[in-house]
Amino acid sequence: MELLDTILLNGTVQSLIYQNEESGYTVLRLYSPETSMEITAVGCMPFVTRGETVELKGTWTTHASYGEQFLVSEFSRVYPGNEAEITSFLSGGAVKGIGPKTAENIVKRFGNDSLLIIATDPEALTKVKGITLEKAKRIREDFNRRASLSALTDFILANSLPLYIAFRLYRHFGDFAMDELKKNPYLICGPLFGEDFGSAERLAASLGIYGDDAVRVDAGILYELYFNLQNGHTFIPREKLAAAVCGLLGVEGESVEYGVRRLEESGEIVIEEICREEAVYLSEIRNAECRVASKIRELSREYAARGASAERAVERVEEKTGIRYANAQKDALYACARYGVTVLTGGPGTGKTTAVRGMLELYDILKIETFLCAPTGRAAKRLSELCQKEASTVHRLLEAGYGQRDGQTSFMRNENNTLQCGAVIVDEASMLDVFLADALLSAVKPGTRLIFVGDADQLPSVGPGNFLRDLIASGLSPVIKLGEIFRQVKTSEIILNAHRINRGELPDLDKNCGDFFFINRRSPAGLSDTVSELCSGRITEAFGIAGGDIQVICPSRIGSSGTVAINASLQEVMNPQESGKAEVRVGNFTLREGDRVLQTRNNYDLLWHRVGSNEIGTGIYNGDIGKIVKIDIRFQTA
C-alpha cells in the first residue's frame, strides 16, 4: 500500500456501499469537486447519509482487491446552507418519511428555513401536501434524534474518544445525552463504558471540572469502587477507600468524606459495619449479595425426598449404571435427592464427574427435568462431552442479551420468566461471581433443586465475590467433599501434584514421566523458544496430540514470556504466513486464516451458523474457542 500526503476533500455523498452503525465504519461513494469525479472513501463516518456534504481528511491508498480508495482519518459534516443543498440532503433519505418529491415540496414552501421547520414546527409542516400532523411529528422526532446523535458523535470524536461511547450514551439518555455528558464527563469511566480515568479527567478539565469539584470527587469514589470489583472485592474499608481516592485525585480527606456522605444519601453506595470495620459497597453489589443470600436460604429450606426414598433411588441408580459409588459419592447422590441446594466439591481426579452423571441418572429415575450449565463455554463443552447431555453456559441458559437502554447484560430468564425445570447442575461453580450467581438464582423457581459442583481450592472468580467458598462457609446447605483419588487417575502426576499443592507441599519436579514434565529455562527468550518447540513437534510426536489441541497457559499477558509474545511466536511456527492465506491486522495483532482464537468478551447479538448443519443461533461468550476458517477482506483497507 502506498501512502501519500494527508489532504482535505469536500464532496457530496452519492451512495453508501457499507455502513456499521455500532462502529461508524463506512464505505461510500463521494463526488468531490477537487477531483471532478466519484471516489470511494472508507473510514469512521458515523450516520452519514446519501446527499450529505462532508469534509474528509485522509490519504489515498491502493487496496489489493478494490483499487484506489480515500482512507479517512478525520470526518466532519458540512451542514446544508442553501436550498439546493437542503433538497439534496433531504432527498437522500436522511430523515425517515421524506423522499425526493416531499423534499422538493418542503424546500419549495419553506426555503432556507426548511430544517428549522422540520425540527420545531410540525403543524407548519402539514401545509406540505401528503404530510399529516402525525407524520409531521414522526419526521420531527427522527430528524431531532439524528441531529442529536450526530452532534454527540462529533463531540466524542473531537475529544479523541471511542465512538461506541456516543451510541451507549444516546441509548441511555436519548436527546439529553450531550447535556448529561457535559454535566458529568466521568460517565465514560463507569461500568457502562469502561474508559480509563485519565480519559475522563482530560474531558472534565476541558469542561472546567477539576480540583475538589463535587462531580470529580464523587466520580473518583465510584471509580475506585468499580475498579475494586475487577479485583474481585465487593467492598472497600472506608479508611482504605479515602486513602485511595486522595491518591487518585490529589485532594484532601475532608473532600472525600463529603463525597462519601453525598453518595450514601443519594443511594449510590451503602456503608455497613463488618468485623468492626466500616465497609463501603456500591449499592448494586450489596443488593446482589443480599438477593443471593436470601434465595439460597429460601431454596435450602426445600426438602424433596426423605431418607428411605432417597436411599432407594440411589440403589436404583447403581443397578442401572452398574457402578458401585464410593461413600462420599453416595452421600452426594443422597443429598441431591433430598435437599434443595447441594454443594459437591473436590480436587481433580476425585470423581466429581462420575457423581454428576449419577445425579443425572437419579433425576431421570425421579422424572425431574435437569439443566446442565457452566460459567464458560469451554467448561460447558467439556461437561456436555463427559455427561453425554447438552450443557450450556449460564449466560446462554438465561438467554442473555443487551439492555436496550444501557447496553449492559440483561437476561430473558428472571424471576418473571423462570427456568422450566426441576433441577439445575452448575459445574465449575468457583467461577461464578456475585452478579452471575444473582442472575441464575433469580431465574430459578421455588422448589427447583440446585447443585453447585466445583473445586473450592481453585482461585475465585474473576468477577466480584467468592460465591462457592462463601456458600460452603455459610452452612446453609449440605457440602460433600470428595477426597479420594481414584485408581484410574493415580498414575497422573498432574493430579497427584495438584493434591500435593493443596496440602501445602511442593510438587515433585524430579519425576519427569507420564503426563507431568518440568523443564527449567532461566531466560524468557529460552522459555518462549521451548514452548514453540514443544507445541510444534515434541508434544504432538510424544503423545499423539494434534497441535490444535494444545493449550499454553501463561502467568501474565505482557513481557517476553507473556501471552502476547508467546501467541505471536506460536503463530509463526503453527500457522505461518502463506500465499493465498488471508490475514487482517487488528490493533497490534495479525489474525490469519487457520488461527485458533479465544473469545474474551460476551457478544450476545452476534449471529452464527454451525458449519455442516442448519443450526443458527446468536451469542458468543467469553471463553469460547474457535478457529478462523475464512477472512472476508472486502472492506479491509490495509
Side-chain angles (χ1 to χ4, degrees):
M1 179 190 297
E2 182 183 1
L3 294 179
L4 303 179
D5 293 335
T6 300
I7 61 173
L8 285 172
L9 280 182
N10 285 277
T12 304
V13 178
Q14 302 299 301
S15 62
L16 297 174
I17 300 172
Y18 173 79
Q19 189 169 50
N20 184 318
E21 288 200 353
E22 283 296 317
S23 67
Y25 181 78
T26 304
V27 182
L28 57 78
R29 295 288 291 172
L30 182 85
Y31 177 78
S32 170
E34 287 93 341
T35 61
S36 299
M37 60 183 290
E38 280 193 18
I39 65 165
T40 300
V42 296
C44 183
M45 295 173 278
F47 291 103
V48 68
T49 60
R50 186 168 65 86
E52 272 196 288
T53 301
V54 296
E55 182 178 271
L56 308 179
K57 183 178 180 180
T59 55
W60 288 104
T61 70
T62 302
H63 192 280
S65 302
Y66 301 101
E68 193 173 54
Q69 299 177 335
F70 190 73
L71 181 60
V72 177
S73 58
E74 294 182 23
F75 157 80
S76 61
R77 292 176 173 83
V78 179
Y79 289 96
N82 57 50
E83 292 184 8
E85 291 175 353
I86 294 172
T87 302
S88 175
F89 170 68
L90 294 176
S91 297
V95 183
K96 290 179 181 177
I98 299 179
K101 186 62 178 177
T102 304
E104 289 179 15
N105 291 337
I106 290 173
V107 176
K108 186 175 180 180
R109 175 171 283 276
F110 301 112
N112 289 340
D113 293 330
S114 295
L115 299 184
L116 179 63
I117 294 296
I118 290 172
T120 62
D121 196 348
E123 288 189 6
L125 204 57
T126 61
K127 296 174 182 177
V128 176
K129 184 180 178 180
I131 299 181
T132 64
L133 182 59
E134 183 179 345
K135 183 176 180 180
K137 288 179 179 178
R138 289 199 303 268
I139 288 172
R140 179 186 61 177
E141 183 179 337
D142 186 68
F143 179 81
N144 288 336
R145 181 193 71 84
R146 197 170 195 89
S148 296
L149 193 46
S150 294
L152 182 61
T153 55
D154 290 347
F155 180 77
I156 291 294
L157 292 173
N159 283 278
S160 303
L161 295 169
L163 187 63
Y164 78 90
I165 288 176
F167 297 100
R168 290 193 181 176
L169 273 168
Y170 193 85
R171 203 179 278 144
H172 194 71
F173 297 109
D175 292 338
F176 300 101
M178 180 79 84
D179 294 335
E180 292 295 328
L181 181 60
K182 288 183 175 180
K183 188 165 51 178
N184 182 8
Y186 293 94
L187 287 170
I188 68 171
C189 64
L192 191 60
F193 309 104
E195 286 299 296
D196 63 88
F197 195 77
S199 296
E201 284 275 73
R202 288 189 291 274
L203 181 59
S206 73
L207 296 170
I209 299 173
Y210 45 82
D212 60 358
D213 188 295
V215 170
R216 182 170 183 259
V217 173
D218 292 0
I221 294 169
L222 293 174
Y223 175 79
E224 287 291 351
L225 288 168
Y226 278 116
F227 185 81
N228 212 47
L229 293 183
Q230 299 171 33
N231 292 328
H233 307 300
T234 57
F235 68 84
I236 309 179
R238 190 167 186 160
E239 288 186 8
K240 288 188 176 181
L241 174 63
V245 177
C246 288
L248 176 70
L249 302 180
V251 297
E252 298 297 324
E254 186 179 20
S255 297
V256 178
E257 181 57 32
Y258 285 138
V260 168
R261 292 177 191 170
R262 281 193 299 270
L263 292 170
E264 185 180 21
E265 288 173 4
S266 70
E268 291 183 75
I269 65 173
V270 174
I271 300 174
E272 183 174 308
E273 185 174 320
I274 297 178
C275 299
R276 286 178 283 188
E277 284 243 38
E278 284 192 295
V280 183
Y281 287 87
L282 288 162
S283 294
E284 59 189 291
I285 189 71
R286 180 59 181 149
N287 291 340
E289 278 195 339
C290 289
R291 286 192 299 268
V292 166
S294 176
K295 194 62 182 274
I296 288 291
R297 190 179 295 111
E298 173 193 327
L299 292 171
S300 295
R301 295 193 189 105
E302 299 282 347
Y303 287 86
R306 297 299 172 183
S309 57
E311 289 182 12
R312 176 58 190 144
V314 172
E315 289 173 4
R316 290 177 63 191
V317 171
E318 288 189 318
E319 291 168 6
K320 184 177 178 182
T321 62
I323 297 174
R324 304 301 297 175
Y325 294 100
N327 289 336
Q329 290 175 319
K330 275 189 180 181
D331 290 340
L333 295 179
Y334 292 143
C336 77
R338 293 186 61 191
Y339 299 107
V341 179
T342 302
V343 177
L344 174 63
T345 184
T350 55
K352 294 192 298 293
T353 301
T354 300
V356 169
R357 287 199 292 258
M359 292 173 186
L360 290 172
E361 293 290 351
L362 184 144
Y363 286 145
D364 186 54
I365 289 169
L366 296 176
K367 301 190 183 311
I368 295 174
E369 185 175 5
T370 307
F371 290 163
L372 284 176
C373 64
T376 68
R378 292 202 69 198
K381 182 180 178 182
R382 176 180 172 275
L383 181 64
S384 182
E385 291 169 348
L386 292 174
C387 294
Q388 296 297 299
K389 178 180 172 64
E390 182 183 358
S392 69
T393 62
V394 177
H395 281 87
R396 191 162 282 152
L397 179 68
L398 301 180
E399 299 175 30
Y402 275 141
Q404 290 299 311
R405 281 180 53 80
D406 58 13
Q408 297 289 83
T409 307
S410 64
F411 298 98
M412 292 293 291
R413 294 292 179 177
N414 50 45
E415 61 273 13
N416 299 316
N417 182 28
T418 56
L419 295 167
Q420 297 305 299
C421 62
V424 179
I425 299 176
V426 187
D427 197 19
E428 299 291 358
S430 62
M431 296 183 188
L432 284 177
D433 63 29
V434 170
F435 289 128
L436 192 54
D438 179 34
L440 176 62
L441 289 164
S442 295
V444 172
K445 63 184 178 182
T448 302
R449 307 179 205 200
L450 272 178
I451 298 90
F452 295 101
V453 182
D455 186 347
D457 294 318
Q458 284 186 344
L459 291 172
S461 64
V462 175
N466 198 343
F467 172 77
L468 182 63
R469 198 169 295 177
D470 289 347
L471 176 58
I472 291 171
S474 73
L476 287 172
S477 308
V479 178
I480 292 84
K481 184 167 185 177
L482 305 180
E484 178 185 352
I485 304 176
F486 286 90
R487 182 175 64 251
Q488 60 267 33
V489 293
K490 281 185 177 178
T491 57
S492 169
E493 288 297 319
I494 291 176
I495 289 176
L496 293 175
N497 278 324
H499 284 271
R500 289 187 184 107
I501 292 169
N502 282 340
R503 293 194 299 268
E505 303 170 6
L506 288 173
D508 186 349
L509 304 180
D510 298 323
K511 192 186 292 183
N512 284 330
C513 63
D515 57 6
F516 182 94
F517 295 83
F518 175 72
I519 304 172
N520 190 2
R521 293 291 181 269
R522 297 189 178 277
S523 73
L527 187 152
S528 182
D529 292 343
T530 300
V531 169
S532 297
E533 181 187 343
L534 288 168
C535 292
S536 62
R538 288 174 59 184
I539 290 179
T540 59
E541 293 168 7
F543 296 98
I545 299 172
D549 293 332
I550 299 171
Q551 181 154 348
V552 179
I553 300 173
C554 304
S556 68
R557 184 175 182 274
I558 60 175
S560 55
S561 57
T563 57
V564 174
I566 288 184
N567 272 332
S569 175
L570 286 171
Q571 185 185 47
E572 290 310 304
V573 297
M574 304 290 288
N575 187 35
Q577 187 177 33
E578 294 177 5
S579 176
K581 186 184 289 184
E583 60 182 49
V584 60
R585 188 76 176 170
V586 179
N588 296 322
F589 303 97
T590 297
L591 296 176
R592 185 174 297 146
E593 289 178 352
D595 281 344
R596 289 179 77 211
V597 289
L598 173 73
Q599 183 74 10
T600 59
R601 182 178 297 177
N602 295 329
N603 183 342
Y604 308 108
D605 298 326
L606 187 67
L607 182 69
W608 52 262
H609 169 234
R610 193 178 300 281
V611 177
S613 76
N614 294 323
E615 186 180 356
I616 295 174
T618 56
I620 184 168
Y621 302 94
N622 181 18
D624 284 351
I625 289 179
K627 181 179 180 181
I628 299 175
V629 295
K630 180 69 176 176
I631 294 177
D632 189 340
I633 63 170
R634 284 179 295 173
F635 302 121
Q636 294 301 326
T637 60

